[in-house]
């Protein structure tokens, strides 16, 4: 029962992320402009990834779990970000 309550609390956030993902894919399929510079969507992903990495290392987890989540977010910028915010089981940070 507790797992269902946790899942229902995460559904609004998942819906928001899914709608942002859909909008971003409809407006731009690339994080880069034609001249090689980052597009606006690229800056948003970069900022969210940096936020996620700071959040990962603030958590009260073992070093193995922190490194695993950091590698997922680093190697898969958009997918890792979505996975982290949906399934990491984040709690209150230690600071």
């Amino acid at each position: 029962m507790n797992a269902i309550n946790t899942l229902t609390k995460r559904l609004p956030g998942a819906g928001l992320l899914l709608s942002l993902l859909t909008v971003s894919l409809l407006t731009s399929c690339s994080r880069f402009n034609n001249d090689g510079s980052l597009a606006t969507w690229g800056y948003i992903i970069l900022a969210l990834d940096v936020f996620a990495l700071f959040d990962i290392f603030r958590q009260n987890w073992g070093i193995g779990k922190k490194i695993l989540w950091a590698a997922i977010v680093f190697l898969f910028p958009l997918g890792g970000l979505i996975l982290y915010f949906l399934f990491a089981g984040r709690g209150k940070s230690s600071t």
Side-chain angles (χ1 to χ4, degrees), residues 8 22 38 51-52 83 87:
T8 57
T22 304
L38 275 176
F51 171 74
L83 287 174
F87 300 113

Side-chain angles (χ1 to χ4, degrees), residues 6-83:
T6 304
L7 181 63
T8 57
K9 289 178 184 176
R10 291 183 183 175
L11 284 178
L16 177 64
L17 280 175
L18 185 60
S19 65
L20 286 174
L21 177 65
T22 304
V23 167
S24 69
L25 289 175
L26 292 176
T27 59
S28 169
C29 292
S30 176
R31 293 183 316 183
F32 298 100
N33 291 327
N34 290 336
D35 62 354
S37 63
L38 275 176
T40 304
W41 180 242
Y43 287 117
I44 293 170
I45 292 175
L46 179 64
L48 289 173
D49 282 341
V50 168
F51 171 74
L53 289 173
F54 280 127
D55 191 50
I56 288 169
F57 287 105
R58 285 188 345 192
Q59 295 299 321
N60 191 16
W61 295 334
I63 192 69
K65 188 174 182 178
K66 288 180 183 183
I67 290 174
L68 177 66
W69 275 112
I72 290 171
V73 170
F74 181 76
L75 294 174
F76 308 104
L78 182 60
L81 185 67
I82 292 170
L83 287 174

